[in-house]
Amino acid sequence: AVAGVVSLLSVEATVSLLQNLLAAGVDAPLWCVTRGAVAAVDGDVVDPDQAGVWGLGRVIGLEHPDRWGGLIDLPAVMDDPTEEALATVLAGDTGEDQIAIRATGTWAARLTRAEATTAVSAAWRGRGTALVTGGTGALGRHVARWLADTGVERIVLTSRQGAEA
């Protein structure tokens, strides 16, 4: 039995790996390990190719949760604490599936509720032209009215349905 699969590949190769694992019936968790895919701390520079693996990984996690291990982003320099943190995450001891390991610690992705503020949106004044995609639906009409009320001079409404909308 395979305890887990670790991928160090790019996006297309990761898709191929996943397809082959699924076709072979391998039910071990897939972990995608990247370097520079996310900005976890000040000074991190994101590599778009590596970030693409994170985007793909989030989709894999939703579509195949039973076969998903997670995403681990490594720092530029590997040292003993980084290797220990990587081993801990791969062992599944953290309960996290989106981890960035840095010299300052191990970071996990979190969604937090934002404080509701109306001061920013109330003070915002529109100008120029605004494009509203999906603008011919019920929500689009509300957005268009709001844009007009804020001072946007031209509003272009487009539809996903084409000319029939």
Side-chain angles (χ1 to χ4, degrees):
V2 178
V5 177
V6 174
S7 171
L8 306 172
L9 305 169
S10 62
V11 173
E12 291 177 22
T14 301
V15 169
S16 179
L17 172 62
L18 176 64
Q19 290 170 337
N20 287 316
L21 290 171
L22 293 171
V26 175
D27 62 358
L30 172 63
W31 289 89
C32 292
V33 179
T34 58
R35 179 168 281 147
V38 295
V41 297
D42 288 342
D44 278 354
V45 177
V46 175
D47 177 339
D49 292 330
Q50 294 289 287
V53 174
W54 271 60
L56 172 65
R58 289 178 177 141
V59 172
I60 294 171
L62 293 171
E63 292 185 357
H64 302 283
D66 55 328
R67 303 225 176 135
W68 183 237
L71 297 156
I72 305 170
D73 194 60
L74 299 175
V77 177
M78 291 290 289
D79 55 15
D80 288 342
T82 301
E83 290 174 6
E84 289 174 21
L86 176 60
T88 299
V89 173
L90 287 173
D93 294 340
T94 64
E96 302 291 343
D97 73 342
Q98 295 178 41
I99 301 284
I101 301 172
R102 299 294 185 267
T104 56
T106 301
W107 305 88
R110 290 281 187 272
L111 291 177
T112 58
R113 184 173 298 277
E115 292 293 322
T117 61
T118 56
V120 173
S121 62
W124 185 79
R125 297 299 308 162
R127 59 184 164 84
T129 303
L131 171 65
V132 181
T133 59
T136 59
L139 184 57
R141 287 189 289 266
H142 290 289
V143 171
R145 284 187 198 105
W146 176 79
L147 287 168
D149 290 343
T150 65
V152 172
E153 297 157 4
R154 289 171 300 284
I155 302 169
V156 178
L157 305 177
T158 63
S159 170
R160 294 172 288 157
Q161 318 269 314
E164 295 83 37

